[in-house]
Amino acid sequence: MKLSPESLARASSRHPWRTIGLWVVLIAAMGFVTSRLLGDVLTQEFEFTNEPESVRAEEVIDRKFGTNGAEDTEFVIVQSPSLTVADPSFEEAVRGLQGELATVDEEILASPPVSYYDVAQQSPERAAGLVSEDGRATLITVALKDTELSTIEELRGLVERERPEDFSVQIAGQGALFADFSEIAEEDLQRGETIGIAIALLILIVVFGSLIAALAPIVMAVFAIAVALGLVSLIGQLVDFNLFVTNMVTMIGLAVGIDYSLFIVSRYREERKKGFPKLDAIGAAGATANRAVFFSGLTVVIALLGMFIIPASIFRSLGAGAILVTLASLAASMTLLPAILGLLGDRINWPRLAKRARIDSSFDPKGGFWDRVSRGVMARPVIYLVLAVALLGGLGSFYFQLEQGTSQNVSQLPDEFESKQAFLTLEREFAGGVTDPAQIVITGDVRSAPAQAAIADLQEAIAETDVFAPQTEATPSRDGTAVEVDAFFRSDPSTEAAFQGIRDLRSEIVPAAFEGVEGVEVLVGGNTAFFTDFLDVADRYQPIVVAFVLGLSFILLTVVFRSIVVPVKAIIMNLLSVGAAYGAVTLVFQEGVGIGFFNSIGFQFQQAEGIEPWLPLFLFSVLFGLSMDYHVFLLSRIREEYDRTRDNTEAVAYGLRTTAGIITGAALIMVAVFIGFAAGRLGPLQQMGFGLAVAVFMDATIVRSLLVPASMRLLGDWNWYLPRWLRWLPQVHVEGREPEHTTVEEAPVPVGDRG
């Protein structure tokens, strides 16, 4: 048997119980794997696959100071309303809590806890950083071997149980932040799923006029998500995945999983209305809609592959999650769905809630709303083309005001979370960046007089800045070949001001301090430096990713539609919708336009200094794939009719009126899913969900309803132009053939290319 979407559909429908049984076993296995392994493969950290300065600095620090990059230092804040650290009762309380912390399992602690009283005599400079200005608060540093959620929860539980009477105790640090971000992500994931599925079900009922037909796509999406999470758990035994991969899998899985099944079920019902028997209707849908879905999914995967070019694990993690759930959605819609259709037959339309669910109703809504819209646009194509481009381009122009930053900092956490309260205490009573300093490591001949003088000059220059706190801490390595200077930020180390402080250290402060000093190397590291390097990587690789995605998409669409005009138009239109999404995200989250309105209707948007640095590249990859999804589905129907009639205008009208309702329903479902995630509390997911929702809405309305018919009307037969020297390309037949159709292989050559 020749393997094709049609043959898969026919085989699955003829052996439905066998197909369903295989899927049940697969889903059960993936569910078991997910429950046992998924929690251990998720991390908030991300890595570079190249070696920017921050990575090299971390390697030197680990080697020279015997640390481990995976270690985490948490700060236990002990505060009294009246006593100071000089009071014996205060010291007794701190040492008692410190002693209890020292009893934590050795597999958790990287080294014994350290308090102010341990270092007051040996290092007054370091001790000063562990006491607040009024002397009524101090820090106990607790070095942990990792930032696992279980580790942080155990630490929090111990501190709560052993809290000294009449003292307040808080825990601050990256691990505590990770724990709270994880909790919010999990809660928002559940909320987003609930909102997305509920609204999707309502839209599907309206589109299909039947409850069973509406439930089928949702079941397919849920199954695809289960399989994808299992695959993430298995692959995660080799590489870690970012914490947000679960949100990504669920969000993209609901969007594409529902859409793909929606297209196929609608085509099956259309074939039944044409008079095909059940199995032949499934086969006809397999030869048409299944093929369109396959190539649509392929465009999504190709677009997401661009994220693997970037040498940062967060891009590869999120891209891999989205690719896995897209492939799982394709597999479910092309095998499991035909099996279910084979079992249910016309019972897929039960209970019939509208006339459209009847198999004896019309399948070609000629003269309907979408037919009138498409013909109205094609009657005045220039006007609608200019209006659509002006609207999308005008909104997209705000992209040039976009600034990069991170909303995943402490200020973006809800006030009730412990890590935010603890950080606010740090910021108020200590240097806010004490938990995450910039780490400047000097190696080589550090004992020489010039090097020692340069280190002193460096500390003095840092103390004079507005970004860093006056106190710095210099620590020599045991072998005397390295010195680490910790520069503490005055406030949140995850802000644009902190990132600029790192850039100033590298470009101005360090070079000035070590000018003329030979035999030493100076590297600036730490988490803030790491994120600054991430910003630079995202900027540097963005044009490479864009070129890669556009190039592969052009090649695929050229082969699929045997035209070089269709791919160019599709790319331009998708860039317009992506640009509009960039502009909308910039206006709302960076400039604050409309935040009050959105929050008044239930959102929790927060204005940020900048847009997530990974968001533009991720939005481009995902949106380009999803937008091309609809484009392939629409154009394949137009091409199918054009091959049959050779009438471009009629083919465009036919394609739009037979797919616009389905595409609009699918787009509304995607918008609902994305809005569900935008309604969460985490800034990165708010920006991502909102950007995706805006782009899909613009794409399904302005692009599909205005730009496509207007541009195709103006170009006429030139839409299908393929130069003679490319006629060797394989004929893919994205829409396949129905039994009653006779497909013409080649489009006529427009005048002017007959030589």
Side-chain angles (χ1 to χ4, degrees):
M1 179 183 70
K2 183 180 179 181
L3 188 63
S4 68
E6 180 180 1
S7 64
L8 280 175
R10 290 187 181 276
S12 300
S13 63
R14 286 173 179 157
H15 306 282
W17 289 114
R18 187 182 305 173
T19 304
I20 293 173
L22 289 174
W23 271 94
V24 168
V25 171
L26 175 62
I27 291 168
M30 292 296 100
F32 176 79
V33 168
T34 300
S35 65
R36 294 299 183 91
L37 303 178
L38 182 61
D40 295 331
V41 306
L42 302 180
T43 176
Q44 192 183 26
E45 304 298 324
F46 62 87
E47 299 176 350
F48 290 101
T49 55
N50 58 355
E51 288 196 343
E53 183 173 339
S54 59
V55 173
R56 300 198 308 274
E58 182 180 305
E59 291 174 349
V60 171
I61 292 172
D62 289 348
R63 186 173 65 251
K64 295 292 185 179
F65 293 85
T67 58
N68 184 340
E71 290 181 2
D72 168 55
T73 299
E74 297 296 303
F75 291 81
V76 178
I77 308 171
V78 184
Q79 192 170 17
S80 169
S82 57
L83 303 179
T84 68
V85 292
D87 192 292
S89 298
F90 198 117
E91 180 176 357
E92 181 182 357
V94 170
R95 289 199 178 277
L97 179 57
Q98 181 182 359
E100 294 296 333
L101 290 170
T103 64
V104 172
D105 192 334
E106 291 183 358
E107 294 184 359
I108 293 178
L109 286 181
S111 59
V114 177
S115 70
Y116 160 79
Y117 302 102
D118 297 324
V119 297
Q121 298 299 323
Q122 296 88 348
S123 179
E125 186 180 66
R126 182 183 178 189
L130 298 177
V131 180
S132 62
E133 291 185 5
D134 63 7
R136 291 186 294 182
T138 188
L139 303 176
I140 302 174
T141 61
V142 183
L144 305 175
K145 291 184 177 179
D146 55 56
T147 57
E148 295 292 333
L149 295 180
S150 58
T151 301
I152 300 301
E153 291 306 315
E154 181 173 343
L155 183 63
R156 281 177 165 172
L158 186 149
V159 167
E160 181 60 29
R161 290 192 306 271
E162 304 299 333
R163 180 178 63 85
E165 188 175 356
D166 297 328
F167 284 81
S168 66
V169 180
Q170 297 171 295
I171 298 178
Q174 292 300 311
L177 278 176
F178 175 52
D180 287 346
F181 271 114
S182 299
E183 180 180 344
I184 296 175
E186 184 175 351
E187 292 174 355
D188 287 353
L189 175 61
Q190 295 174 352
R191 182 183 181 190
E193 286 177 335
T194 301
I195 294 174
I197 290 176
I199 299 178
L201 180 58
L202 292 175
I203 295 172
L204 287 168
I205 290 175
V206 172
V207 170
F208 284 130
S210 160
L211 182 59
I212 299 299
L215 286 172
I218 293 178
V219 172
M220 294 301 104
V222 172
F223 285 177
I225 292 169
V227 171
L229 289 177
L231 293 174
V232 167
S233 303
L234 291 174
I235 298 173
Q237 303 309 302
L238 302 176
V239 293
D240 287 336
F241 280 88
N242 185 268
L243 169 68
F244 292 125
V245 73
T246 54
N247 301 69
M248 191 62 50
V249 166
T250 302
M251 183 174 64
I252 300 300
L254 286 175
V256 301
I258 292 175
D259 277 10
Y260 293 161
S261 298
L262 168 63
F263 294 154
I264 293 171
V265 172
S266 64
R267 188 62 187 243
Y268 163 76
R269 298 200 328 167
E270 179 181 317
E271 301 304 329
R272 286 291 289 129
K273 292 175 183 179
K274 291 178 180 179
F276 285 111
K278 178 181 70 175
L279 293 181
D280 287 342
I282 295 173
T288 55
N290 285 38
R291 294 175 68 90
V293 162
F294 174 75
F295 286 107
S296 296
L298 197 57
T299 62
V300 175
V301 171
I302 285 177
L304 291 168
L305 283 176
M307 299 180 70
F308 285 83
I309 296 175
I310 309 166
S313 61
I314 186 172
F315 286 106
R316 300 181 180 187
S317 175
L318 298 180
I323 287 174
L324 289 174
V325 80
T326 299
L327 294 176
S329 298
L330 285 176
S333 62
M334 296 176 69
T335 58
L336 180 58
L337 183 57
I340 292 176
L341 291 175
L343 280 179
L344 294 177
D346 292 336
R347 284 173 293 181
I348 192 75
N349 297 319
W350 184 90
R352 289 195 295 268
L353 305 176
K355 181 181 177 181
R356 71 180 68 91
R358 297 171 56 183
I359 64 171
D360 57 349
S361 60
S362 172
F363 68 90
D364 184 357
K366 193 169 185 177
F369 172 77
W370 291 111
D371 193 33
R372 295 195 300 272
V373 169
S374 61
R375 293 185 185 280
V377 171
M378 287 190 289
R380 299 175 179 82
V382 175
I383 293 176
Y384 284 103
L385 185 69
V386 171
L387 287 175
V389 171
L391 178 60
L392 293 174
L395 186 56
S397 65
F398 290 99
Y399 165 70
F400 297 102
Q401 299 179 20
L402 184 148
E403 296 179 4
Q404 291 185 337
T406 177
S407 59
Q408 192 176 339
N409 54 42
V410 179
S411 62
Q412 299 296 312
L413 277 173
D415 292 339
E416 67 267 19
F417 282 88
E418 295 179 37
S419 57
K420 180 171 184 176
Q421 296 172 10
F423 182 84
L424 292 177
T425 301
L426 277 180
E427 192 174 45
R428 183 175 62 252
E429 305 293 345
F430 305 87
V434 70
T435 63
D436 214 358
Q439 297 172 299
I440 308 164
V441 58
I442 305 100
T443 57
D445 190 12
V446 296
R447 294 178 178 176
S448 66
Q452 290 293 312
I455 292 173
D457 291 342
L458 174 64
Q459 292 179 278
E460 183 178 345
I462 291 172
E464 295 174 355
T465 66
D466 294 330
V467 175
F468 297 100
Q471 67 269 24
T472 56
E473 186 174 315
T475 307
S477 63
R478 290 183 179 179
D479 62 4
T481 61
V483 174
E484 177 185 336
V485 177
D486 287 343
F488 302 98
F489 294 95
R490 290 182 184 270
S491 58
D492 192 340
S494 298
T495 61
E496 181 58 36
F499 304 147
Q500 187 57 47
I502 294 294
R503 296 187 183 101
D504 291 342
L505 275 177
R506 290 172 170 173
S507 62
E508 300 175 12
I509 299 175
V510 168
F514 285 85
E515 184 178 5
V517 180
E518 298 181 355
V520 297
E521 181 184 26
V522 185
L523 299 171
V524 179
N527 284 332
T528 306
F530 188 88
F531 200 86
T532 304
D533 289 335
F534 178 73
L535 293 174
D536 296 338
V537 165
D539 281 342
R540 188 163 62 252
Y541 279 85
Q542 184 164 345
I544 300 174
V545 173
V546 170
F548 173 83
V549 172
L550 295 184
L552 281 187
S553 299
F554 178 83
I555 293 171
L556 177 66
L557 292 178
T558 299
V559 172
V560 167
F561 292 108
R562 296 184 62 75
S563 165
I564 62 170
V565 177
V566 166
V568 170
K569 281 198 313 167
I571 287 172
I572 293 174
M573 291 178 187
N574 287 344
L575 288 177
L576 283 171
S577 59
V578 171
Y582 286 165
V585 170
T586 302
L587 277 177
V588 173
F589 291 96
Q590 180 178 302
E591 305 301 327
V593 177
I595 280 186
F597 166 76
F598 286 111
N599 290 348
S600 69
I601 58 175
F603 291 93
Q604 302 179 57
F605 291 170
Q606 297 186 54
Q607 187 173 355
E609 289 189 352
I611 304 305
E612 287 292 320
W614 53 267
L615 192 67
L617 272 177
F618 182 80
L619 278 183
F620 172 79
S621 298
V622 173
L623 290 176
F624 197 86
L626 295 180
S627 299
M628 202 66 76
D629 220 14
Y630 294 145
H631 215 75
V632 169
F633 189 71
L634 171 60
L635 289 180
S636 60
R637 185 62 70 91
I638 294 174
R639 179 70 198 224
E640 177 188 12
E641 185 67 10
Y642 177 80
D643 285 344
R644 190 178 68 83
T645 65
R646 289 301 175 189
D647 185 333
N648 181 74
T649 301
E650 183 57 36
V652 173
Y654 174 84
L656 281 169
R657 70 173 176 260
T658 55
T659 63
I662 298 298
I663 288 178
T664 302
L668 289 176
I669 289 169
M670 276 200 182
V671 170
V673 170
F674 297 148
I675 286 297
F677 286 88
R681 292 164 291 173
L682 289 182
L685 294 183
Q686 290 176 354
Q687 294 178 12
M688 180 179 65
F690 181 78
L692 289 170
V694 168
V696 170
F697 179 78
M698 293 286 187
D699 190 76
T701 53
I702 297 175
V703 172
R704 300 294 159 250
S705 301
L706 301 180
L707 275 180
V708 169
S711 62
M712 296 198 79
R713 174 67 178 83
L714 288 172
L715 289 171
D717 287 343
W718 282 95
N719 285 296
W720 314 109
Y721 171 62
L722 184 71
R724 292 184 180 276
W725 56 275
L726 288 177
R727 301 284 171 86
W728 57 270
L729 291 174
Q731 298 185 21
V732 175
H733 299 295
V734 64
E735 269 290 340
R737 296 185 180 91
E738 290 180 334
E740 63 182 25
H741 289 180
T742 301
T743 303
V744 181
E745 301 294 342
E746 291 289 346
V749 180
V751 176
D753 190 58
R754 299 187 181 278

